[in-house]
Amino acid sequence: MIKNILVLGAGSAGLIAAISLRRKLPQLAIRVVRSPEIGVIGVGEGTTPNFPKHIFDYLGITRKRFHELAEPTWKLGIRFLWGPRGRFDYTFDQQLDCQWSDLPMPNGYYCDEDFRCASVPSALMWLGKAFMRQPDGCPDIQGWHAFHIENKKFVDVLEIVARENGVEFIDGKVTGSERLPEGGIAAVHLEDGRRIEADFFIDSSGFRSELLGRALEEPFVSFDRSLFCDRAVVGGWDRTTEPILPYTTAETMDAGWAWQIEHEHHINRGYVYSSQAISDDEAAAEFLRKNPKAPSSPRVVKFRSGCYRRQWVENVVAIGNAGGFVEPLEATALMIVCGNVQALVEMLTRSALTPTPTWRALFNDLAAQSWTDIRDFLALHYKLNTATDTPFWRHCVADTDVSSIAGLLEFYAENGPTGFCRYRLPRTENDFGIEGYLVMLVGNRAPYAAKHFAKGSERQLWEGRRAAFISAAQGGMDVRETLAYIRHPGWTWNAEAKPDAGTVTVHQGR
Ligand SMILES: Cc1cc2nc3c(=O)[nH]c(=O)nc-3n(C[C@H](O)[C@H](O)[C@H](O)COP(=O)(O)OP(=O)(O)OC[C@H]3O[C@@H](n4cnc5c(N)ncnc54)[C@H](O)[C@@H]3O)c2cc1C
């Protein structure tokens, strides 16, 4: 039976794992070993809606405290400056996988010419607003949001919460490990000669993958046939007069794309590119041309997209970059960290802390399916972007491997943006849902045969609805005003009273 766990690494992945384990299985002793010399990766600042749910409902960090300590801003989705339209918005609600009862077709068929403001959140995004206003003037903070959060600040918050939950920290660099005769790891060795034993190990050592990759030599499965980017230049600047946008921006570049992530006092930009298509110096030069306020020598981060064949081997589970990573186009890393941690905790609970090989195999199958879904979804972004005529983008359109979603693409090419497309996804319980795929297909104007030409009253109904969303969103409030509300001493988060409630509806501010 597992009694004590050693987490190797105190980045966001290791700390989310440590706190989750302590909270849900308090009988376990949890220690974290980390190397201050190596530090944390320092990037990873966009999230998805499962992140607030995990932080608030699973880790039990209150909204009040999280906002005070971590100072996040809200993210309603991603604005893509991408494809033949030049611009479209991917929100966390349903824009396309839905149909109005008084219209004969699902929403996607009305968005061929103009894919804007097909829901309230997308109208808010369009107008740079974060939330609607309640009748009393307070922000109506709905659940369809994620956060932008500074990596180092987030890690500091997690460390405070981990210590409060009884997690023990050990500073030291792991330089080796001891194997058990029956397989797995018995102990790790630190540079200063200390030896740390545990029954079970979480490898959250980032790209170094000290235990799963280095010690256990689990093979790495590369996604390089689908995702060609392998580096980023990163650099931001302090905000002056720029508005705080309620979304991440993903903008096409000559040999990849650039993110813009919005913090209250800082704007973070990064250019993700393929080292086969462009040199680091050329990438930095293009980045600086577009972002003259960025530091003149932006930092280069190298990565590879892919995952280890199994993430749970013997008594080692890798969580975070140590188990796998795909480039940051949809900011999925923390999403998969939260999902894998929850699966692990549930499996350890159900197996009474004595997990058998069938639990391991199930965990590995579920994790592999998630990685494959993410790979395919990101690959589609590249395959569909026909607008940029550079060698890199011509290569993406011609050669990106999307063979595992070929059935979906064939069905769409004939039938268009119907919700029936979901049955052509390899798995119906896909993390992005058919909504994500439809947004990419419609957003990039992927051609399809069964066009629907709405005229007369039908068109008027659709346009009237969109105008109503825009008009409602015009009364909404931006990020700055919302921050002022939630920082007012009279503000209360009503979900605090029931930490496990799934909602984030907010009542009465000032
Ligand atoms: C360019 C880029 C952009 C990204 N953008 C996003 C994004 O927008 N959203 C998102 O969710 N994710 C993003 N990510 C992923 C992000 O890095 C991870 O989500 C997140 O930060 C988790 O990192 P980690 O904890 O796995 O690793 P790290 O932060 O690297 O932490 C590793 C830990 O292990 C310790 N360690 C390593 N080796 C040893 C050793 N030998 N001995 C002792 N300690 C050791 C380190 O000291 C550190 O504490 C991005 C990644 C890249 C490369």
Side-chain angles (χ1 to χ4, degrees), residues 8-14 33-35 38-41 43-46 151 172-174 204-208 210 232 259 261 301 303 320-321 325 328 331 333-334:
L8 170 45
S12 41
V33 60
R34 49 105 188 263
S35 158
I38 296 172
V40 298
I41 190 165
V43 284
E45 311 204 313
N151 180 266
K173 185 172 175 186
V174 171
S204 287
S205 59
F207 291 141
R208 300 164 74 96
E210 295 281 0
W259 76 70
I261 286 187
V301 181
F303 58 82
N321 294 346
F325 174 74
L334 290 172

mmCIF file of all heavy atoms in Angstrom, residues 8-14 33-35 38-41 43-46 151 172-174 204-208 210 232 259 261 301 303 320-321 325 328 331 333-334, ligand 1:
data_model
loop_
_atom_site.group_PDB
_atom_site.id
_atom_site.type_symbol
_atom_site.label_atom_id
_atom_site.label_comp_id
_atom_site.label_asym_id
_atom_site.label_seq_id
_atom_site.Cartn_x
_atom_site.Cartn_y
_atom_site.Cartn_z
ATOM 1 N N LEU A 8 8.840 14.875 -7.619
ATOM 2 C CA LEU A 8 10.096 15.478 -8.093
ATOM 3 C C LEU A 8 9.741 16.655 -8.981
ATOM 4 O O LEU A 8 9.282 16.482 -10.116
ATOM 5 C CB LEU A 8 10.922 14.426 -8.856
ATOM 6 C CG LEU A 8 12.153 14.928 -9.635
ATOM 7 C CD1 LEU A 8 12.992 15.915 -8.841
ATOM 8 C CD2 LEU A 8 13.018 13.765 -10.065
ATOM 9 N N GLY A 9 9.923 17.867 -8.440
ATOM 10 C CA GLY A 9 9.652 19.078 -9.223
ATOM 11 C C GLY A 9 8.583 19.918 -8.564
ATOM 12 O O GLY A 9 7.560 19.400 -8.116
ATOM 13 N N ALA A 10 8.844 21.228 -8.498
ATOM 14 C CA ALA A 10 7.895 22.152 -7.874
ATOM 15 C C ALA A 10 7.496 23.240 -8.850
ATOM 16 O O ALA A 10 7.382 24.410 -8.503
ATOM 17 C CB ALA A 10 8.492 22.741 -6.604
ATOM 18 N N GLY A 11 7.295 22.862 -10.111
ATOM 19 C CA GLY A 11 6.647 23.762 -11.067
ATOM 20 C C GLY A 11 5.142 23.640 -10.857
ATOM 21 O O GLY A 11 4.674 22.988 -9.899
ATOM 22 N N SER A 12 4.369 24.220 -11.756
ATOM 23 C CA SER A 12 2.918 24.170 -11.520
ATOM 24 C C SER A 12 2.414 22.738 -11.537
ATOM 25 O O SER A 12 1.511 22.389 -10.777
ATOM 26 C CB SER A 12 2.167 25.054 -12.512
ATOM 27 O OG SER A 12 2.695 24.945 -13.780
ATOM 28 N N ALA A 13 2.991 21.862 -12.353
ATOM 29 C CA ALA A 13 2.504 20.479 -12.427
ATOM 30 C C ALA A 13 2.732 19.743 -11.107
ATOM 31 O O ALA A 13 1.810 19.130 -10.547
ATOM 32 C CB ALA A 13 3.197 19.745 -13.572
ATOM 33 N N GLY A 14 3.963 19.789 -10.591
ATOM 34 C CA GLY A 14 4.281 19.058 -9.361
ATOM 35 C C GLY A 14 3.458 19.566 -8.183
ATOM 36 O O GLY A 14 2.969 18.781 -7.365
ATOM 37 N N VAL A 33 10.586 17.444 -3.816
ATOM 38 C CA VAL A 33 11.996 17.828 -3.938
ATOM 39 C C VAL A 33 12.140 18.666 -5.200
ATOM 40 O O VAL A 33 11.575 18.347 -6.240
ATOM 41 C CB VAL A 33 12.930 16.586 -3.943
ATOM 42 C CG1 VAL A 33 12.626 15.642 -5.084
ATOM 43 C CG2 VAL A 33 14.396 17.001 -4.010
ATOM 44 N N ARG A 34 12.857 19.763 -5.045
ATOM 45 C CA ARG A 34 12.999 20.647 -6.206
ATOM 46 C C ARG A 34 14.368 21.326 -6.165
ATOM 47 O O ARG A 34 14.941 21.528 -5.100
ATOM 48 C CB ARG A 34 11.885 21.692 -6.231
ATOM 49 C CG ARG A 34 11.668 22.426 -4.914
ATOM 50 C CD ARG A 34 12.175 23.816 -4.900
ATOM 51 N NE ARG A 34 12.092 24.387 -3.554
ATOM 52 C CZ ARG A 34 11.118 25.161 -3.127
ATOM 53 N NH1 ARG A 34 10.119 25.458 -3.902
ATOM 54 N NH2 ARG A 34 11.172 25.666 -1.916
ATOM 55 N N SER A 35 14.815 21.702 -7.345
ATOM 56 C CA SER A 35 16.124 22.322 -7.433
ATOM 57 C C SER A 35 15.969 23.823 -7.682
ATOM 58 O O SER A 35 15.595 24.217 -8.792
ATOM 59 C CB SER A 35 16.919 21.684 -8.582
ATOM 60 O OG SER A 35 17.933 22.557 -9.001
ATOM 61 N N ILE A 38 17.855 24.860 -10.833
ATOM 62 C CA ILE A 38 17.206 24.627 -12.141
ATOM 63 C C ILE A 38 15.997 25.546 -12.294
ATOM 64 O O ILE A 38 15.753 26.106 -13.366
ATOM 65 C CB ILE A 38 16.789 23.139 -12.289
ATOM 66 C CG1 ILE A 38 18.027 22.252 -12.285
ATOM 67 C CG2 ILE A 38 15.972 22.919 -13.555
ATOM 68 C CD1 ILE A 38 17.735 20.754 -12.228
ATOM 69 N N GLY A 39 15.244 25.723 -11.224
ATOM 70 C CA GLY A 39 14.093 26.626 -11.268
ATOM 71 C C GLY A 39 12.935 26.045 -12.079
ATOM 72 O O GLY A 39 12.942 24.880 -12.466
ATOM 73 N N VAL A 40 11.929 26.892 -12.348
ATOM 74 C CA VAL A 40 10.763 26.454 -13.115
ATOM 75 C C VAL A 40 10.866 27.024 -14.525
ATOM 76 O O VAL A 40 11.668 27.912 -14.787
ATOM 77 C CB VAL A 40 9.432 26.883 -12.452
ATOM 78 C CG1 VAL A 40 9.294 26.236 -11.089
ATOM 79 C CG2 VAL A 40 9.312 28.395 -12.351
ATOM 80 N N ILE A 41 10.004 26.520 -15.408
ATOM 81 C CA ILE A 41 10.138 26.876 -16.823
ATOM 82 C C ILE A 41 9.836 28.358 -17.083
ATOM 83 O O ILE A 41 10.408 28.969 -17.987
ATOM 84 C CB ILE A 41 9.273 25.945 -17.705
ATOM 85 C CG1 ILE A 41 9.577 26.136 -19.187
ATOM 86 C CG2 ILE A 41 7.798 26.127 -17.434
ATOM 87 C CD1 ILE A 41 9.040 25.041 -20.089
ATOM 88 N N VAL A 43 7.251 29.773 -18.350
ATOM 89 C CA VAL A 43 6.234 30.051 -19.368
ATOM 90 C C VAL A 43 5.054 29.117 -19.089
ATOM 91 O O VAL A 43 5.193 28.128 -18.381
ATOM 92 C CB VAL A 43 6.738 29.833 -20.815
ATOM 93 C CG1 VAL A 43 7.628 30.951 -21.275
ATOM 94 C CG2 VAL A 43 7.427 28.490 -20.967
ATOM 95 N N GLY A 44 3.909 29.457 -19.689
ATOM 96 C CA GLY A 44 2.723 28.642 -19.444
ATOM 97 C C GLY A 44 1.712 29.480 -18.709
ATOM 98 O O GLY A 44 1.546 29.354 -17.511
ATOM 99 N N GLU A 45 1.072 30.359 -19.433
ATOM 100 C CA GLU A 45 0.290 31.384 -18.751
ATOM 101 C C GLU A 45 -1.140 31.473 -19.229
ATOM 102 O O GLU A 45 -1.928 32.219 -18.689
ATOM 103 C CB GLU A 45 1.000 32.724 -18.946
ATOM 104 C CG GLU A 45 2.483 32.586 -18.621
ATOM 105 C CD GLU A 45 3.140 33.869 -18.234
ATOM 106 O OE1 GLU A 45 2.920 34.857 -18.940
ATOM 107 O OE2 GLU A 45 3.848 33.886 -17.223
ATOM 108 N N GLY A 46 -1.476 30.685 -20.259
ATOM 109 C CA GLY A 46 -2.868 30.634 -20.701
ATOM 110 C C GLY A 46 -3.484 29.356 -20.153
ATOM 111 O O GLY A 46 -2.800 28.344 -19.986
ATOM 112 N N ASN A 151 3.291 32.577 -14.685
ATOM 113 C CA ASN A 151 3.753 31.260 -14.237
ATOM 114 C C ASN A 151 4.440 31.325 -12.879
ATOM 115 O O ASN A 151 4.123 30.557 -11.961
ATOM 116 C CB ASN A 151 4.677 30.665 -15.312
ATOM 117 C CG ASN A 151 5.214 29.286 -14.927
ATOM 118 O OD1 ASN A 151 6.299 29.183 -14.377
ATOM 119 N ND2 ASN A 151 4.447 28.247 -15.194
ATOM 120 N N GLY A 172 17.053 20.542 -3.318
ATOM 121 C CA GLY A 172 18.218 19.735 -3.698
ATOM 122 C C GLY A 172 18.052 19.253 -5.129
ATOM 123 O O GLY A 172 16.937 19.161 -5.632
ATOM 124 N N LYS A 173 19.182 18.946 -5.740
ATOM 125 C CA LYS A 173 19.136 18.511 -7.138
ATOM 126 C C LYS A 173 19.249 16.990 -7.205
ATOM 127 O O LYS A 173 20.207 16.412 -6.659
ATOM 128 C CB LYS A 173 20.295 19.166 -7.885
ATOM 129 C CG LYS A 173 20.283 18.885 -9.358
ATOM 130 C CD LYS A 173 21.348 19.741 -10.032
ATOM 131 C CE LYS A 173 21.458 19.416 -11.484
ATOM 132 N NZ LYS A 173 22.571 20.120 -12.123
ATOM 133 N N VAL A 174 18.290 16.374 -7.850
ATOM 134 C CA VAL A 174 18.339 14.915 -8.013
ATOM 135 C C VAL A 174 19.380 14.587 -9.090
ATOM 136 O O VAL A 174 19.317 15.108 -10.208
ATOM 137 C CB VAL A 174 16.944 14.367 -8.419
ATOM 138 C CG1 VAL A 174 17.020 12.902 -8.799
ATOM 139 C CG2 VAL A 174 15.950 14.575 -7.280
ATOM 140 N N SER A 204 7.596 15.264 -11.939
ATOM 141 C CA SER A 204 7.163 16.553 -12.493
ATOM 142 C C SER A 204 8.396 17.416 -12.700
ATOM 143 O O SER A 204 8.424 18.599 -12.354
ATOM 144 C CB SER A 204 6.170 17.235 -11.541
ATOM 145 O OG SER A 204 4.927 16.580 -11.589
ATOM 146 N N SER A 205 9.437 16.784 -13.240
ATOM 147 C CA SER A 205 10.715 17.479 -13.401
ATOM 148 C C SER A 205 10.783 18.240 -14.720
ATOM 149 O O SER A 205 11.862 18.601 -15.174
ATOM 150 C CB SER A 205 11.866 16.480 -13.295
ATOM 151 O OG SER A 205 11.734 15.486 -14.291
ATOM 152 N N GLY A 206 9.628 18.505 -15.338
ATOM 153 C CA GLY A 206 9.632 19.295 -16.570
ATOM 154 C C GLY A 206 10.237 18.509 -17.717
ATOM 155 O O GLY A 206 10.250 17.266 -17.718
ATOM 156 N N PHE A 207 10.757 19.225 -18.705
ATOM 157 C CA PHE A 207 11.268 18.549 -19.906
ATOM 158 C C PHE A 207 12.403 17.573 -19.583
ATOM 159 O O PHE A 207 12.697 16.683 -20.377
ATOM 160 C CB PHE A 207 11.757 19.580 -20.929
ATOM 161 C CG PHE A 207 10.647 20.400 -21.547
ATOM 162 C CD1 PHE A 207 10.825 21.756 -21.804
ATOM 163 C CD2 PHE A 207 9.432 19.821 -21.876
ATOM 164 C CE1 PHE A 207 9.813 22.512 -22.366
ATOM 165 C CE2 PHE A 207 8.405 20.570 -22.439
ATOM 166 C CZ PHE A 207 8.602 21.918 -22.682
ATOM 167 N N ARG A 208 13.033 17.697 -18.415
ATOM 168 C CA ARG A 208 14.132 16.779 -18.087
ATOM 169 C C ARG A 208 13.629 15.360 -17.848
ATOM 170 O O ARG A 208 14.397 14.411 -17.984
ATOM 171 C CB ARG A 208 14.869 17.268 -16.842
ATOM 172 C CG ARG A 208 15.476 18.652 -17.011
ATOM 173 C CD ARG A 208 15.842 19.248 -15.663
ATOM 174 N NE ARG A 208 17.033 18.625 -15.117
ATOM 175 C CZ ARG A 208 18.258 19.110 -15.231
ATOM 176 N NH1 ARG A 208 18.446 20.241 -15.877
ATOM 177 N NH2 ARG A 208 19.279 18.487 -14.706
ATOM 178 N N GLU A 210 13.214 13.357 -15.360
ATOM 179 C CA GLU A 210 14.311 12.646 -14.694
ATOM 180 C C GLU A 210 14.004 11.170 -14.422
ATOM 181 O O GLU A 210 14.876 10.312 -14.578
ATOM 182 C CB GLU A 210 14.647 13.329 -13.362
ATOM 183 C CG GLU A 210 15.198 14.741 -13.477
ATOM 184 C CD GLU A 210 16.675 14.763 -13.859
ATOM 185 O OE1 GLU A 210 17.268 13.693 -14.036
ATOM 186 O OE2 GLU A 210 17.215 15.890 -13.997
ATOM 187 N N ALA A 232 10.410 28.574 -29.313
ATOM 188 C CA ALA A 232 9.698 29.850 -29.167
ATOM 189 C C ALA A 232 10.693 30.918 -28.739
ATOM 190 O O ALA A 232 11.614 30.623 -27.972
ATOM 191 C CB ALA A 232 8.599 29.721 -28.118
ATOM 192 N N TRP A 259 1.821 34.249 -29.750
ATOM 193 C CA TRP A 259 0.756 34.473 -28.756
ATOM 194 C C TRP A 259 0.891 35.866 -28.168
ATOM 195 O O TRP A 259 1.977 36.447 -28.150
ATOM 196 C CB TRP A 259 0.820 33.419 -27.652
ATOM 197 C CG TRP A 259 1.914 33.575 -26.627
ATOM 198 C CD1 TRP A 259 2.014 34.528 -25.650
ATOM 199 C CD2 TRP A 259 3.078 32.744 -26.477
ATOM 200 N NE1 TRP A 259 3.152 34.330 -24.903
ATOM 201 C CE2 TRP A 259 3.815 33.250 -25.385
ATOM 202 C CE3 TRP A 259 3.552 31.621 -27.150
ATOM 203 C CZ2 TRP A 259 5.021 32.675 -24.955
ATOM 204 C CZ3 TRP A 259 4.745 31.053 -26.722
ATOM 205 C CH2 TRP A 259 5.464 31.579 -25.644
ATOM 206 N N ILE A 261 -0.466 37.256 -24.452
ATOM 207 C CA ILE A 261 -1.182 36.923 -23.224
ATOM 208 C C ILE A 261 -1.229 38.166 -22.348
ATOM 209 O O ILE A 261 -0.242 38.887 -22.219
ATOM 210 C CB ILE A 261 -0.507 35.717 -22.517
ATOM 211 C CG1 ILE A 261 -0.862 34.457 -23.324
ATOM 212 C CG2 ILE A 261 -0.950 35.591 -21.071
ATOM 213 C CD1 ILE A 261 -0.441 33.166 -22.727
ATOM 214 N N VAL A 301 13.161 29.357 -26.124
ATOM 215 C CA VAL A 301 12.770 28.138 -25.395
ATOM 216 C C VAL A 301 12.640 27.018 -26.416
ATOM 217 O O VAL A 301 11.946 27.161 -27.421
ATOM 218 C CB VAL A 301 11.407 28.329 -24.669
ATOM 219 C CG1 VAL A 301 11.035 27.066 -23.906
ATOM 220 C CG2 VAL A 301 11.444 29.528 -23.736
ATOM 221 N N PHE A 303 11.557 23.047 -27.360
ATOM 222 C CA PHE A 303 10.663 21.983 -26.887
ATOM 223 C C PHE A 303 10.461 20.973 -28.009
ATOM 224 O O PHE A 303 10.853 21.208 -29.157
ATOM 225 C CB PHE A 303 9.313 22.566 -26.437
ATOM 226 C CG PHE A 303 8.588 23.348 -27.501
ATOM 227 C CD1 PHE A 303 7.827 22.716 -28.469
ATOM 228 C CD2 PHE A 303 8.676 24.740 -27.542
ATOM 229 C CE1 PHE A 303 7.157 23.431 -29.451
ATOM 230 C CE2 PHE A 303 8.023 25.471 -28.531
ATOM 231 C CZ PHE A 303 7.265 24.807 -29.488
ATOM 232 N N GLY A 320 2.677 16.684 -16.081
ATOM 233 C CA GLY A 320 3.232 17.925 -16.616
ATOM 234 C C GLY A 320 4.184 17.646 -17.763
ATOM 235 O O GLY A 320 4.135 16.586 -18.415
ATOM 236 N N ASN A 321 5.087 18.585 -18.004
ATOM 237 C CA ASN A 321 5.992 18.478 -19.153
ATOM 238 C C ASN A 321 6.851 17.216 -19.082
ATOM 239 O O ASN A 321 7.364 16.765 -20.110
ATOM 240 C CB ASN A 321 6.890 19.716 -19.218
ATOM 241 C CG ASN A 321 6.114 20.995 -19.525
ATOM 242 O OD1 ASN A 321 4.954 20.940 -19.933
ATOM 243 N ND2 ASN A 321 6.745 22.138 -19.314
ATOM 244 N N PHE A 325 4.222 16.984 -23.865
ATOM 245 C CA PHE A 325 3.996 18.406 -24.113
ATOM 246 C C PHE A 325 3.623 18.570 -25.568
ATOM 247 O O PHE A 325 4.229 17.952 -26.441
ATOM 248 C CB PHE A 325 5.280 19.205 -23.805
ATOM 249 C CG PHE A 325 5.160 20.660 -24.168
ATOM 250 C CD1 PHE A 325 4.396 21.511 -23.387
ATOM 251 C CD2 PHE A 325 5.795 21.170 -25.289
ATOM 252 C CE1 PHE A 325 4.261 22.843 -23.726
ATOM 253 C CE2 PHE A 325 5.673 22.508 -25.626
ATOM 254 C CZ PHE A 325 4.905 23.350 -24.841
ATOM 255 N N PRO A 328 2.210 25.338 -27.543
ATOM 256 C CA PRO A 328 1.182 26.001 -26.723
ATOM 257 C C PRO A 328 -0.014 26.609 -27.466
ATOM 258 O O PRO A 328 -0.714 27.441 -26.892
ATOM 259 C CB PRO A 328 1.995 27.103 -26.030
ATOM 260 C CG PRO A 328 3.153 27.362 -26.891
ATOM 261 C CD PRO A 328 3.468 26.098 -27.617
ATOM 262 N N ALA A 331 -2.976 26.260 -25.402
ATOM 263 C CA ALA A 331 -2.707 26.359 -23.956
ATOM 264 C C ALA A 331 -3.260 25.150 -23.193
ATOM 265 O O ALA A 331 -4.007 25.280 -22.230
ATOM 266 C CB ALA A 331 -3.282 27.656 -23.393
ATOM 267 N N ALA A 333 -1.488 22.569 -21.678
ATOM 268 C CA ALA A 333 -0.644 21.815 -20.742
ATOM 269 C C ALA A 333 -1.271 21.732 -19.347
ATOM 270 O O ALA A 333 -1.349 20.650 -18.760
ATOM 271 C CB ALA A 333 0.750 22.428 -20.675
ATOM 272 N N LEU A 334 -1.728 22.869 -18.822
ATOM 273 C CA LEU A 334 -2.323 22.810 -17.485
ATOM 274 C C LEU A 334 -3.657 22.076 -17.512
ATOM 275 O O LEU A 334 -4.055 21.452 -16.527
ATOM 276 C CB LEU A 334 -2.475 24.221 -16.905
ATOM 277 C CG LEU A 334 -1.137 24.876 -16.532
ATOM 278 C CD1 LEU A 334 -1.329 26.342 -16.149
ATOM 279 C CD2 LEU A 334 -0.448 24.138 -15.394
HETATM 280 C C1 LIG B 1 6.846 28.091 -25.119
HETATM 281 C C2 LIG B 1 5.898 27.476 -24.141
HETATM 282 C C3 LIG B 1 4.662 28.071 -23.877
HETATM 283 C C4 LIG B 1 3.763 27.465 -22.998
HETATM 284 N N1 LIG B 1 2.523 28.026 -22.813
HETATM 285 C C5 LIG B 1 1.616 27.387 -22.047
HETATM 286 C C6 LIG B 1 0.314 27.914 -21.843
HETATM 287 O O1 LIG B 1 -0.035 28.977 -22.335
HETATM 288 N N2 LIG B 1 -0.536 27.222 -21.063
HETATM 289 C C7 LIG B 1 -0.186 26.044 -20.451
HETATM 290 O O2 LIG B 1 -1.018 25.431 -19.775
HETATM 291 N N3 LIG B 1 1.051 25.569 -20.583
HETATM 292 C C8 LIG B 1 1.936 26.195 -21.369
HETATM 293 N N4 LIG B 1 3.204 25.685 -21.468
HETATM 294 C C9 LIG B 1 3.549 24.524 -20.674
HETATM 295 C C10 LIG B 1 3.998 24.916 -19.269
HETATM 296 O O3 LIG B 1 5.366 24.901 -19.302
HETATM 297 C C11 LIG B 1 3.457 23.931 -18.273
HETATM 298 O O4 LIG B 1 2.045 23.980 -18.318
HETATM 299 C C12 LIG B 1 3.659 24.198 -16.806
HETATM 300 O O5 LIG B 1 4.423 25.296 -16.538
HETATM 301 C C13 LIG B 1 4.130 22.964 -16.081
HETATM 302 O O6 LIG B 1 5.493 22.871 -16.081
HETATM 303 P P1 LIG B 1 6.138 21.714 -15.215
HETATM 304 O O7 LIG B 1 5.738 21.893 -13.795
HETATM 305 O O8 LIG B 1 5.822 20.427 -15.862
HETATM 306 O O9 LIG B 1 7.694 21.961 -15.408
HETATM 307 P P2 LIG B 1 8.686 23.081 -14.827
HETATM 308 O O10 LIG B 1 8.035 24.388 -14.586
HETATM 309 O O11 LIG B 1 9.870 23.047 -15.732
HETATM 310 O O12 LIG B 1 9.109 22.524 -13.403
HETATM 311 C C14 LIG B 1 10.060 21.490 -13.246
HETATM 312 C C15 LIG B 1 10.451 21.367 -11.800
HETATM 313 O O13 LIG B 1 11.314 20.257 -11.648
HETATM 314 C C16 LIG B 1 12.488 20.637 -10.949
HETATM 315 N N5 LIG B 1 13.581 19.786 -11.387
HETATM 316 C C17 LIG B 1 13.909 19.410 -12.649
HETATM 317 N N6 LIG B 1 14.976 18.595 -12.633
HETATM 318 C C18 LIG B 1 15.305 18.432 -11.340
HETATM 319 C C19 LIG B 1 16.317 17.700 -10.664
HETATM 320 N N7 LIG B 1 17.222 16.982 -11.325
HETATM 321 N N8 LIG B 1 16.371 17.775 -9.313
HETATM 322 C C20 LIG B 1 15.473 18.501 -8.614
HETATM 323 N N9 LIG B 1 14.505 19.206 -9.202
HETATM 324 C C21 LIG B 1 14.421 19.182 -10.539
HETATM 325 C C22 LIG B 1 12.651 22.100 -11.291
HETATM 326 O O14 LIG B 1 13.472 22.764 -10.363
HETATM 327 C C23 LIG B 1 11.204 22.556 -11.237
HETATM 328 O O15 LIG B 1 10.826 22.798 -9.901
HETATM 329 C C24 LIG B 1 4.124 26.275 -22.336
HETATM 330 C C25 LIG B 1 5.378 25.706 -22.547
HETATM 331 C C26 LIG B 1 6.243 26.281 -23.449
HETATM 332 C C27 LIG B 1 7.581 25.629 -23.686
#
